[in-house]
Amino acid sequence: MTGSHAGPPHEPAAAARERLGPEHYDYFAGGAGEETALRENEEAFGRLALLPRVLRGGTVRDTRVSVLGRDWPAPLFVSPTAFHRLAHPDGERATARAAAATGIPLVTGVAATTAVADVAAAAREADPEAVVWFQLYPQPEHEVSAELVLRAERAGCSALVVTVDSPVFGTRTRDLRNGFHDLPPGLAAENMRDLPGAAPGATRDIAMCPAGWDDLARLRELTDLPLVLKGVLHPEDARIAVERGVDALIVSNHGGRQLDAAAASVEALPAVAEAVAGRVPVLMDGGVRRGGDIAVALALGARAVGVGRPVLWALATGGEDGVREALTALREDFDQVLALCGGHRPRDLTADQVTPRGLPYRPMRGERAW
Ligand SMILES: Cc1cc2nc3c(=O)[nH]c(=O)nc-3n(C[C@H](O)[C@H](O)[C@H](O)COP(=O)(O)O)c2cc1C
Ligand SMILES: CCCCC(=O)C(=O)O
């Protein structure tokens, strides 16, 4: 995943492609429409360069960041991605053990092929203090959402991530072309089993439906868990979310899988960070592939970044060990980039250290959000 460890960042995807059936590879790799947003997430990072500061001294670095009352070892988390058992038979359990072993928080989700209780238990085998969050698509029936939230609470999840970028399902061009619309026999979205309105033992389909701020308020009433909004790109939404008591935001375009015309996450980030003005942590995901990407996102106001596909590729090729190695490599790459930028702590990275490539130095504006 990083220069010295695992070769250029496109290699993990190529290796996974050899392991996976083409329709499963395409499900993980693909985006919506013409895959513009998908490409732009990575390319937007490529259009930004870092200006290191020099002679800052100090040999000790501390990459920890504090998020919702917990210290994370690095400004890095695993974003929620569906169906890990399509990537590897050990599925979400392997991902959970690997993330926990590295101390990196995991967001598991409603679309996991392993029930949240089992994912959280696997994480705790590796580290009893492991941070596991649960991601929800608000379901059309409130009692279904309520039951899912209850299961996440019982499993010991420490935050509820509500994905808000999916009022309808995006058009996944590759899945349409491949005719991929069902999990193979033996795999299911296990969190959707035994829910209100379904026959005992049966799973319900996961709905994507247009929720409103009132639905968010109902979720807020339902649980004491911190509420994290995932999929915010517009600064005005960020401002409203903070005013309505949301505890953290994830700037994300869903890995380019929903609105193909959406802005790249890292391009939307500075204005969101500015609107939030440090009142809650701003996280981001989309296109993060190397330590330099993490540094750029932090400099532009993110407190931590999530990775989606890099974890799926590592899982597909190396199972639990593969995910642990990929996360460790990414974390080490960030530590090295921090050092090369003259930083000692993540917060030492500032927006004036980011400039567009191919142009004379033009410092980015950016709220020092934390
Ligand atoms: C195969 C796949 C499945 C995903 N499933 C979910 C999901 O169930 N819920 C969700 O909020 N986001 C989902 N996402 C989006 C990720 O959480 C994340 O926003 C995105 O993958 C980040 O971009 P990256 O893959 O470039 O790191 C999914 C992404 C992929 C690639
Ligand atoms: C119904 C599962 C949705 C998974 C998802 O969010 C994605 O494929 O991007």
Side-chain angles (χ1 to χ4, degrees):
M1 183 175 303
T2 61
S4 59
H5 300 278
H10 59 267
E11 282 182 6
R17 183 176 210 156
E18 300 197 346
R19 291 291 189 95
L20 297 170
E23 72 282 14
H24 296 163
Y25 172 80
D26 274 348
Y27 168 69
F28 290 138
E34 296 174 18
E35 302 192 331
T36 305
L38 170 67
R39 277 190 302 278
E40 280 291 303
N41 274 348
E42 289 188 30
E43 287 177 8
F45 276 114
R47 290 194 291 267
L48 296 170
L50 284 164
L51 285 93
R53 301 301 306 266
V54 299
L55 295 173
R56 289 268 171 113
T59 52
V60 180
R61 285 182 305 283
D62 179 356
T63 60
R64 282 176 305 171
V65 290
S66 168
V67 180
L68 301 181
R70 287 288 300 266
D71 268 352
W72 295 3
L76 182 62
F77 65 96
V78 176
S79 285
T81 52
F83 311 151
H84 288 198
R85 289 177 66 199
L86 273 186
H88 190 279
D90 298 341
E92 288 83 3
R93 284 185 182 82
T95 313
R97 281 193 293 264
T102 57
I104 289 171
L106 167 72
V107 187
T108 190
V110 64
T113 39
T114 308
V116 58
D118 298 328
V119 179
R124 266 182 238 116
E125 279 166 29
D127 174 9
E129 300 296 310
V131 174
V132 180
W133 291 1
F134 183 75
Q135 174 268 330
L136 178 76
Y137 291 108
Q139 294 301 289
E141 302 88 347
H142 183 67
E143 64 272 27
V144 172
S145 297
E147 172 63 20
L148 289 165
V149 171
L150 191 65
R151 289 179 189 181
E153 285 180 342
R154 286 200 193 119
C157 294
S158 52
L160 178 66
V161 177
V162 182
T163 297
V164 293
D165 57 21
S166 304
V168 296
F169 203 71
T171 301
R172 310 284 167 82
T173 316
R174 300 192 205 196
D175 296 344
L176 290 174
R177 193 179 60 210
N178 296 334
F180 176 67
H181 35 68
D182 284 318
L183 286 170
L187 297 191
E190 291 298 334
N191 292 309
M192 298 303 286
R193 207 178 281 288
D194 291 317
L195 287 166
T203 54
R204 293 177 59 118
D205 285 344
I206 299 168
M208 291 188 171
C209 71
W213 289 106
D214 289 350
D215 299 296
L216 195 74
R218 288 185 83 185
L219 289 173
R220 171 86 287 176
E221 280 169 23
L222 203 66
T223 178
D224 291 332
L225 291 178
L227 216 55
V228 180
L229 228 55
K230 175 171 184 283
V232 174
L233 293 172
H234 199 296
E236 186 62 11
D237 284 336
R239 194 187 56 71
I240 299 170
V242 173
E243 281 171 7
R244 291 188 172 240
V246 161
D247 298 288
L249 295 175
I250 306 179
V251 176
S252 174
N253 64 15
H254 207 112
R257 296 164 71 84
Q258 288 296 102
L259 175 64
D260 190 31
S265 298
V266 71
E267 289 183 342
L269 171 66
V272 170
E274 193 169 39
V276 169
R279 289 174 290 172
V280 302
V282 175
L283 313 177
M284 73 80 73
D285 72 20
V288 173
R289 300 293 177 262
R290 51 185 83 71
D293 302 336
I294 303 178
V296 164
L298 265 56
L300 297 180
R303 192 171 303 184
V305 304
V307 279
R309 293 181 184 83
V311 171
L312 294 168
W313 305 147
L315 181 65
T317 49
E320 178 182 343
D321 291 347
V323 175
R324 201 178 50 246
E325 284 160 20
L327 292 174
T328 302
L330 193 50
R331 181 182 161 183
E332 288 175 358
D333 195 26
F334 169 69
D335 181 52
Q336 192 195 33
V337 169
L338 181 64
L340 289 168
C341 285
H344 307 120
R345 293 169 302 271
R347 64 189 309 145
D348 294 338
L349 297 160
T350 50
D352 55 278
Q353 288 182 265
V354 183
T355 188
R357 279 197 191 280
L359 294 170
Y361 176 51
R362 197 178 73 203
M364 302 280 292
R365 266 181 351 137
E367 180 66 26
R368 180 69 286 157
W370 48 288

